[in-house]
Amino acid sequence: QVQLVESGGGSVQAGGSLRLSCDTSGYAYSKFYCLAWFRQSPGKEREGVAAIDNTDDTTYADSVKGRFTISQDNAKKILYLQMNRLKPEDTAMYYCAAEDGLVGVPPIMAYEYHHWGQGTQVTVSS
């Protein structure tokens, strides 16, 4: 069973920063893969935040462009999400996800991914 473990969530005031990490060492990487961050608030659908693939090509949701940065440390098998200028509307449970065999622009649609972590909570207060 694939194991993805998120960490780094917490509470922060608006305008602050957090860096999320996802240990992907439990994921069996193929030649072509995508890693992504999603978030979900109570009563809302899971929303794609950012994705990165094996070539370091990235995709961002419009709501986080210019504020969030996705990156990966291939040696350590860790996926990161640097979140700056946080807003109250960024409050959500954040999940990392992995999938192989995806080609083209790394997707941020939840149905594309079948391997998920348990999530880490991010709370931004005004």
Side-chain angles (χ1 to χ4, degrees), residues 75-120:
K76 295 181 179 179
K77 304 292 187 188
I78 297 178
L79 176 70
Y80 298 104
L81 185 68
Q82 177 66 44
M83 305 186 294
N84 298 328
R85 291 185 281 138
L86 282 160
K87 304 175 181 180
E89 51 263 44
D90 295 319
T91 295
M93 184 73 79
Y94 282 72
Y95 301 88
C96 68
E99 191 59 55
D100 58 20
L102 299 177
V103 296
V105 175
I108 50 173
M109 290 81 75
Y111 68 83
E112 296 276 13
Y113 294 86
H114 297 91
H115 308 292
W116 295 86
Q118 295 299 307
T120 185

Side-chain angles (χ1 to χ4, degrees), residues 47-79:
E47 172 192 22
V49 176
I52 189 168
D53 68 11
N54 52 285
T55 69
D56 280 335
D57 192 11
T58 57
T59 304
Y60 292 93
D62 288 343
S63 58
V64 306
K65 280 181 182 176
R67 300 189 299 123
F68 291 10
T69 303
I70 188 171
S71 62
Q72 59 184 330
D73 184 324
N74 296 108
K76 295 181 179 179
K77 304 292 187 188
I78 297 178
L79 176 70

